[in-house]
Amino acid sequence: MKKIESYKIKEVEVHFKSDFKNGLTEQEAQSRLEKDGKNELEVKKITPWWVILLHSFIEPLQVILMLAAIVSIIAPAAVNNWKVSLHDFVDFIVIMLIVIADAILETVQTVKARKSVDALKSLSKPRAVVLRNGNQKEIAASDLVVGDIVILEAGKYVPAELRIIESVDFMIDESILTGESVPVEKTHNPIKETNMLADMKNIAFMSTFTTAGRAIGVVIKTAKESEIGKISKAINDNDQEQTPLEKKLTKFSYWISCIAGIIGIIVFVSLFATGKSENGAWISYLMVSITLAIGVIPESLAAVVSITLSFSTKRMAKNNVIVKKLSSVETLGSVNVICTDKTGTLTQNKMTVQKVIYNNKIVNAKEYIAENNKLQKDLLLKALVLPNDGVTEGEERIGDPTELALVDYAELMNIDEQKYRKMYQRIHELPFSSERKLMSTLNQVDDKKIIFTKGAIDQLLKVCKKIIIEDKIVPISESHKNEILKSSMNLSSDALRVLAFAYKETNNDLAKEEDLVFIGGVAMIDPVRKEAVWAIEQAKSAGIDVCMITGDHAITALAIARDLGLAFEKSQVISSDELEKMSDEELTDKIVNVRVFARVNPEHKVRIVSCLQNKGFIVSMTGDGVNDAPSLSKAEIGVAMGITGTDVAKQASDVILTDDNFVTIMFGVNEGRNVYQKIKRSITLLMGFNLANVLSILIISLIIKVSPLEATNILFINLIVESCLAIAIGMGPLDNSLMKQKPVVGKNGLLKGLAFSILKIGIVSAVFTVLSFFIGMMATDTVYWAKKITELSAEQSWWQQIKLINSLQQLDDYIITGRTSMFITMVISPLLFAHLIKLSNWKADKKVSLLISKPLINASLIALVLSLAVMFIPLINDKVFKLMGFGTSEGWNANNVWVLFSALGIAFLPFISILLIDIIVFYSYHLSIANWDKNQKLVAELVEIDTKEFHNKKKK
């Protein structure tokens, strides 16, 4: 069956049962509208806020916390013959408040991000001019039906997919669909059947933008049947996968739950095997094991992760990065390949005159402004704006980008194109055509009629008889033409688009392109953003490969890539023709060395992303057009443009840039890397401190057969002290040294690289915590009470006396000084060594950058104040937390006040020990490195310097 683009005009009319002269009747249009539906793209159903909230409660870590909360009620009930008091619900309430707060925080952030995305969408609804019942009328584009006759003119969006049936110099910017940065000329004539969208010259695609001329088209597809509709539907049908952070957190949750269960079982079996055998003793052992298991779980981790991500998303929003999903922040920091669109992201998305050809030489456009060739410059200025339909009014720019570039250049020389056009009225014109590749206008200039012609330099030279050299008009020779063509070829090889200008005085009222005088030419390009060059250099130093994907031709793409410092050889460029010939295996093998993909289709982009993912890369894809949407959805992190981006692209993306700048992506990468490091530092603190708690409680429990701490003590330490510090780490300043490191490739868990730090904190802290407990026990009357009961002689050692504690009844009432001493050490020591965890990435440099974190300092003070309140406020200290109080026999007095100072002194010992260990590790890593390693580093640095110098020379 023939395709629509190959149909003749009459065949199109018959096929769609339309009337090209009068259009559809209102009745027929309404009938088709009811049958086919509105001309609107399908919108993915928005997940209600309450569903997001409920989903937050079933995440693995949250489920574990809720189970821990339930256990916190069951455990004491089992000890007290299943009698439950209000006090037993304290742990449950605290844990559930943490779970609820975290769920609310995640829900609020997700909804806020969604609102930010919605705010970027266009508020105006598109309209269309149609022919119905023989009359032109404007209707909502959503009411268009197949067979409608639509009138198009410059500056309007194409409201549906059209087969053009009439056109006059009609051009469309199809960059959102095909990726081509230059508008394409459309025709109403039949063409050969093709599958390439860029080659369908008689089809106007929905949501593309008309830049010049006018046309009439018949609607052939609407809504989901159009090309943009098909892409939109594919995006909506895609299932959203978990981000790397979500996968790591899920895996981490399973590991923690398994470890907690194993520890609980081991502790219970150990106590049961070595402890008392009386009836009911096993319940006490079960309580200890459950308490230890709960102590392993970092209850505040979910809240820490959410708050850290939320804080980063707010900071990113202020820097033009809107994150639609919290966990996408970390994903952005993990990418090691960025596939980026060219136009608007790496370039300015604005054609700009760079060079000027005059006097048979090439000069810089800025230098030309200062030239004094009065005649030549005056004629060139008129030629820039008179045979030109581009208009700029403030922020509004209408017309072909090439013509707008000429207008902009004229404005740099203080020329107002609108005043010029009023002053020098157009009498006649010869529109641009693809056959002639020229455009001419006849203008009244003072008392003269002058023809101004612009167009392709080779075609223009064919109709020129003279040339302006040094402000004199002389016959043009073959030598002149050869020099001009040579200059043009040199400029074209650098991907500059060359336009030439000529003029002729005439007495006729018609513009004839013959016997013209060559004025000169200009070369223009969509220049690279200067900041993009810096950003790509930063990406390289961060170990991130940047690939440019564009609809432009290979020569243009390579020239831009050279200016960006992205690619220098033809071997680093692959065009769509080569892609079509390659198998997926061949492309996967070659793709690592490719930096530019030119003239690609949407399906090519998806294939490129897939091949990179098959190589094990974490891929970020940037784009703004509908053609980018499938690859945005396919990549681990899709980045859409907020200014030029289509709604479909924004819908498919994970992150939106509100300034369309590649530099902003690198800011997001830096933020993402910092987020991941902050989360890992928080985990180091939480797990290290939890390990210290478990080890110290386990050691003491094995000795005295009861838990030295109450559940409320552990919950306070875990949920207040640890949370304050961990959250503050997440709110700390950015560590820019992370951008000097390569991203970690492959599947890595959250605990990878943290084992040494966690063990260091856990073991060192546990040793001093146990020491603090037994030193505190020296101040209690328990030992002396035991001596009195058992009538022990004074010759027995202190250690032998401690062993007698096992035989005491209601022992937990007699270890209050040891518990208090232990508690003081456990809440004060992390306030100190938490500041060591926030050091900058010490592996990056021999100089350690001490990041002053005000949030961490403030959090330490808050945790200290709360801890002092718990220890010294009556009723709270002794009744709730079972610590030493005031005014009781077990309370503070002149004989035991020294315990306070000894506990504080011991709290400083983990900090000092960990600091000494870090100094030794730092010294061994940087200063004791073997000479062979030093030489290897030096060689690598020299190779990198030589490589940069080589590329800079090639670039010049």
Side-chain angles (χ1 to χ4, degrees):
M1 184 177 175
K2 290 172 63 178
K3 291 189 175 182
I4 298 301
E5 61 265 23
S6 64
Y7 280 28
K8 295 179 180 179
I9 301 295
K10 191 62 181 176
E11 290 177 316
V12 176
E13 185 176 22
V14 173
H15 181 81
F16 291 103
K17 299 177 182 178
S18 185
D19 183 346
F20 288 177
K21 184 177 180 181
N22 299 305
L24 298 176
T25 63
E26 290 293 348
Q27 293 81 2
E28 178 62 21
Q30 184 61 34
S31 174
R32 295 188 183 190
L33 186 63
E34 292 174 359
K35 179 184 176 184
D36 299 330
K38 290 275 190 179
N39 178 35
E40 294 175 334
L41 297 180
E42 290 184 2
V43 179
K44 194 172 185 178
K45 291 183 179 180
I46 298 175
T47 306
W49 66 267
W50 57 269
V51 173
I52 299 173
L53 181 64
L54 291 177
H55 185 267
S56 301
F57 286 109
I58 61 173
E59 292 177 0
L61 202 57
Q62 303 292 62
V63 172
I64 294 172
L65 290 177
M66 287 187 285
L67 289 174
I70 295 171
V71 170
S72 70
I73 296 176
I74 295 175
V79 176
N80 298 314
N81 296 319
W82 303 106
K83 293 179 182 180
V84 181
S85 64
L86 182 62
H87 174 75
D88 296 327
F89 281 90
V90 172
D91 298 347
F92 175 83
I93 293 171
V94 172
I95 295 176
M96 288 307 299
L97 284 175
I98 291 294
V99 171
I100 293 169
D102 177 63
I104 292 173
L105 183 67
E106 183 175 346
T107 302
V108 169
Q109 181 59 35
T110 302
V111 172
K112 283 177 65 179
R114 189 165 66 194
K115 287 181 178 178
S116 298
V117 175
D118 292 340
L120 292 172
K121 294 181 179 179
S122 175
L123 297 177
S124 61
K125 294 186 177 180
R127 299 186 68 79
V129 177
V130 298
L131 183 66
R132 286 188 181 172
N133 293 331
N135 298 314
Q136 285 190 21
K137 60 182 298 187
E138 188 177 54
I139 63 171
S142 59
D143 291 333
L144 285 175
V145 297
V146 173
D148 258 327
I149 309 302
V150 178
I151 292 90
L152 296 173
E153 57 184 22
K156 300 290 185 181
Y157 282 96
V158 179
E161 201 147 302
L162 311 176
R163 165 65 157 86
I164 299 170
I165 57 176
E166 184 180 318
S167 63
V168 179
D169 308 318
F170 188 53
M171 303 191 77
I172 295 182
D173 179 357
E174 293 182 338
S175 58
I176 68 162
L177 196 62
T178 63
E180 283 197 66
S181 57
V182 179
V184 294
E185 185 178 11
K186 292 291 184 176
T187 179
H188 57 273
N189 297 318
I191 62 171
K192 291 182 180 180
E193 294 185 8
T194 178
N195 291 323
M196 291 288 292
L197 300 182
D199 294 335
M200 295 182 183
K201 300 299 184 183
N202 57 7
I203 304 294
F205 297 104
M206 185 176 178
S207 293
T208 56
F209 186 73
T210 60
T211 61
R214 63 184 301 275
I216 299 175
V218 58
V219 177
I220 58 175
K221 293 177 183 177
T222 60
K224 62 183 180 181
E225 299 301 324
S226 65
E227 290 299 325
I228 186 176
K230 291 175 185 177
I231 295 173
S232 180
K233 186 177 184 302
I235 300 305
N236 288 337
D237 292 344
N238 273 354
D239 292 328
Q240 197 167 28
E241 293 185 357
Q242 281 190 318
T243 65
L245 180 60
E246 289 172 326
K247 293 176 181 177
K248 290 174 183 176
L249 283 173
T250 301
K251 188 176 181 180
F252 179 74
S253 300
Y254 290 138
W255 272 103
I256 289 297
S257 61
C258 290
I259 291 171
I262 292 170
I263 287 177
I265 293 171
I266 292 174
V267 171
F268 177 76
V269 171
S270 300
L271 290 174
F272 189 81
T274 60
K276 302 174 186 178
S277 58
E278 290 91 345
N279 290 334
W282 67 271
I283 297 178
S284 178
Y285 304 151
L286 179 62
M287 182 63 181
V288 173
S289 62
I290 290 174
T291 303
L292 281 174
I294 294 174
V296 173
I297 300 170
E299 290 91 347
S300 58
L301 180 58
V304 168
V305 171
S306 291
I307 292 172
T308 301
L309 292 172
S310 179
F311 189 83
S312 290
T313 56
K314 288 179 181 178
R315 180 158 49 196
M316 292 171 77
K318 292 179 182 178
N319 289 276
N320 303 311
V321 185
I322 292 177
V323 180
K324 293 168 63 178
K325 190 176 182 181
L326 284 177
S327 52
S328 296
V329 179
E330 183 273 335
T331 313
L332 189 56
S334 302
V335 299
N336 41 35
V337 173
I338 298 177
C339 297
T340 176
D341 188 27
K342 173 183 73 69
T343 306
T345 308
L346 299 175
T347 63
Q348 297 176 17
N349 195 22
K350 180 182 178 182
M351 294 293 284
T352 306
V353 174
Q354 300 285 308
K355 304 286 183 180
V356 177
I357 302 174
Y358 87 110
N359 288 346
N360 270 18
K361 63 181 181 181
I362 301 173
V363 297
N364 188 284
K366 291 182 179 178
E367 295 176 1
Y368 177 79
I369 294 174
E371 293 289 342
N372 294 318
N373 294 277
K374 191 173 181 181
L375 174 63
Q376 192 269 347
K377 181 178 284 189
D378 179 66
L379 289 168
L380 180 62
L381 288 174
K382 290 182 173 65
L384 289 174
V385 298
L386 295 179
N388 190 325
D389 294 323
V391 178
T392 58
E393 293 182 6
E395 296 296 322
E396 187 176 5
R397 296 164 56 82
I398 301 173
D400 184 282
T402 301
E403 293 193 322
L404 292 172
L406 302 179
V407 169
D408 290 340
Y409 187 53
E411 285 183 350
L412 292 177
M413 291 179 274
N414 301 316
I415 300 300
D416 186 325
E417 89 276 5
Q418 294 190 58
K419 289 183 180 179
Y420 252 49
R421 290 168 190 168
K422 289 179 181 178
M423 189 184 307
Y424 308 123
Q425 291 188 354
R426 186 180 295 184
I427 301 170
H428 183 248
E429 69 176 288
L430 289 175
F432 177 86
S433 72
S434 55
E435 292 79 18
R436 293 174 18 258
K437 294 184 180 179
L438 298 173
M439 174 186 179
S440 298
T441 61
L442 176 63
N443 296 81
Q444 184 70 45
V445 180
D446 299 328
D447 57 347
K448 301 176 182 176
K449 295 177 181 177
I450 301 180
I451 299 170
F452 290 99
T453 302
K454 73 173 181 187
I457 200 164
D458 55 339
Q459 297 297 316
L460 188 65
L461 287 173
K462 292 178 182 178
V463 292
C464 288
K465 295 295 184 183
K466 297 180 180 179
I467 185 173
I468 300 178
I469 300 289
E470 299 295 344
D471 251 7
K472 294 179 180 178
I473 300 174
V474 299
I476 191 167
S477 64
E478 287 301 317
S479 176
H480 288 145
K481 291 183 179 180
N482 291 335
E483 286 294 324
I484 294 170
L485 289 173
K486 183 179 179 181
S487 297
S488 175
M489 288 177 66
N490 290 335
L491 293 170
S492 296
S493 65
D494 289 331
L496 275 75
R497 188 178 186 187
V498 181
L499 275 182
F501 305 91
Y503 86 104
K504 176 187 176 183
E505 294 184 14
T506 182
N507 294 321
N508 297 323
D509 290 332
L510 297 175
K512 293 185 179 181
E513 296 167 344
E514 58 185 21
D515 300 331
L516 304 179
V517 180
F518 186 83
I519 302 171
V522 297
M524 64 193 78
I525 197 171
D526 181 8
V528 301
R529 292 177 182 256
K530 291 182 180 179
E531 61 270 26
V533 179
W534 171 84
I536 288 174
E537 188 64 34
Q538 188 184 35
K540 289 180 180 178
S541 65
I544 301 172
D545 294 329
V546 180
C547 297
M548 185 174 76
I549 303 179
T550 175
D552 286 338
H553 291 280
I555 295 175
T556 304
L558 180 58
I560 294 292
R562 285 197 187 105
D563 289 342
L564 290 165
L566 193 60
F568 303 92
E569 308 290 341
K570 289 183 179 179
S571 60
Q572 294 176 290
V573 182
I574 287 183
S575 64
S576 58
D577 293 338
E578 295 174 273
L579 277 176
E580 291 287 351
K581 296 174 184 177
M582 287 184 182
S583 66
D584 287 343
E585 291 74 19
E586 291 173 328
L587 180 58
T588 301
D589 290 338
K590 190 175 182 181
I591 202 166
V592 176
N593 299 316
V594 178
R595 291 294 172 268
V596 180
F597 296 90
R599 199 70 175 166
V600 295
N601 278 343
E603 60 270 20
H604 293 148
K605 295 185 178 184
V606 174
R607 190 177 169 206
I608 290 166
V609 172
S610 296
C611 288
L612 286 167
Q613 290 172 332
N614 291 339
K615 273 288 188 180
F617 291 107
I618 295 177
V619 184
S620 171
M621 174 71 191
T622 74
D624 55 2
V626 176
N627 63 323
D628 296 319
S631 51
L632 288 173
S633 181
K634 176 67 176 175
E636 278 85 359
I637 188 83
V639 182
M641 302 299 118
I643 298 174
T644 59
T646 60
D647 287 346
V648 175
K650 293 171 189 174
Q651 180 183 335
S653 66
D654 304 291
V655 174
I656 298 173
L657 307 182
T658 58
D659 63 351
D660 292 13
N661 197 333
F662 188 81
V663 175
T664 309
I665 299 175
M666 296 313 300
F667 172 83
V669 170
N670 189 17
E671 186 73 55
R673 289 191 177 186
N674 272 269
V675 161
Y676 190 49
Q677 176 165 273
K678 288 172 183 176
I679 290 173
K680 293 187 77 170
R681 285 175 175 172
S682 297
I683 290 174
T684 301
L685 175 74
L686 295 173
M687 295 306 298
F689 199 37
N690 280 8
L691 177 61
N693 295 348
V694 169
L695 288 176
S696 57
I697 295 172
L698 178 61
I699 292 169
I700 296 170
S701 297
L702 290 173
I703 295 174
I704 65 175
K705 298 302 183 290
V706 296
S707 175
L709 293 180
E710 291 287 313
T712 49
N713 303 145
I714 297 174
L715 263 295
F716 177 83
I717 293 168
N718 286 2
L719 298 178
I720 303 301
V721 178
E722 289 184 15
S723 296
C724 280
L725 298 175
I727 290 170
I729 288 174
M731 297 171 64
L734 294 179
D735 179 3
N736 293 321
S737 67
L738 292 175
M739 294 301 286
K740 297 177 182 178
Q741 279 196 320
K742 292 183 178 181
V744 179
V745 180
K747 297 180 179 179
N748 301 287
L750 285 173
L751 294 179
K752 185 176 178 63
L754 302 183
F756 175 75
S757 297
I758 292 173
L759 289 172
K760 174 183 65 179
I761 294 171
I763 294 173
V764 171
S765 298
V767 169
F768 291 108
T769 300
V770 172
L771 178 65
S772 180
F773 175 81
F774 284 112
I775 289 178
M777 283 291 292
M778 294 173 66
T780 188
D781 291 334
T782 303
V783 174
Y784 301 101
W785 182 74
K787 285 170 64 178
K788 185 176 180 181
I789 289 180
T790 57
E791 297 179 355
L792 294 173
S793 64
E795 286 77 19
Q796 284 185 300
S797 68
W798 175 80
W799 176 250
Q800 289 174 316
Q801 295 173 24
I802 288 293
K803 290 175 68 178
L804 292 174
I805 291 175
N806 285 331
S807 65
L808 298 177
Q809 298 293 320
Q810 297 179 331
L811 182 60
D812 53 337
D813 291 334
Y814 296 95
I815 60 173
I816 191 167
T817 53
R819 178 188 297 135
T820 303
S821 178
M822 182 180 183
F823 183 81
I824 293 171
T825 300
M826 291 179 75
V827 297
I828 298 300
S829 59
L831 303 184
L832 299 171
F833 65 67
H835 295 266
L836 297 179
I837 298 173
K838 73 175 182 58
L839 292 177
S840 67
N841 181 28
W842 56 269
K843 287 186 178 181
D845 201 342
K846 291 181 180 180
K847 295 181 180 179
V848 178
S849 176
L850 295 175
L851 299 174
I852 304 301
S853 176
K854 290 182 180 179
L856 187 55
I857 294 173
N858 294 335
S860 300
L861 293 175
I862 292 171
L864 177 61
V865 171
L866 293 173
S867 299
L868 292 174
V870 164
M871 288 185 285
F872 296 110
I873 293 179
L875 298 180
I876 293 178
N877 51 13
D878 55 351
K879 299 300 181 182
V880 177
F881 288 90
K882 300 293 181 67
L883 303 174
M884 293 171 67
F886 298 94
T888 63
S889 59
E890 298 89 6
W892 293 104
N893 56 55
N895 294 326
N896 60 27
V897 71
W898 61 267
V899 171
L900 173 63
F901 299 102
S902 68
L904 287 173
I906 295 172
F908 277 84
L909 296 180
F911 170 79
I912 296 170
S913 302
I914 292 169
L915 181 60
L916 289 173
I917 293 172
D918 285 349
I919 290 172
I920 293 170
V921 172
F922 181 85
Y923 177 84
S924 64
Y925 185 86
H926 284 291
L927 305 177
S928 295
I929 190 170
N931 288 330
W932 185 86
D933 288 339
K934 287 184 178 180
N935 291 335
Q936 289 296 104
K937 280 190 172 183
L938 182 60
V939 169
E941 290 174 359
L942 291 174
V943 169
E944 186 177 356
I945 292 171
D946 289 342
T947 303
K948 285 183 179 179
E949 289 180 354
F950 172 76
H951 287 322
N952 288 335
K953 286 179 181 178
K954 291 212 71 174
K955 184 178 177 182
K956 291 178 181 179

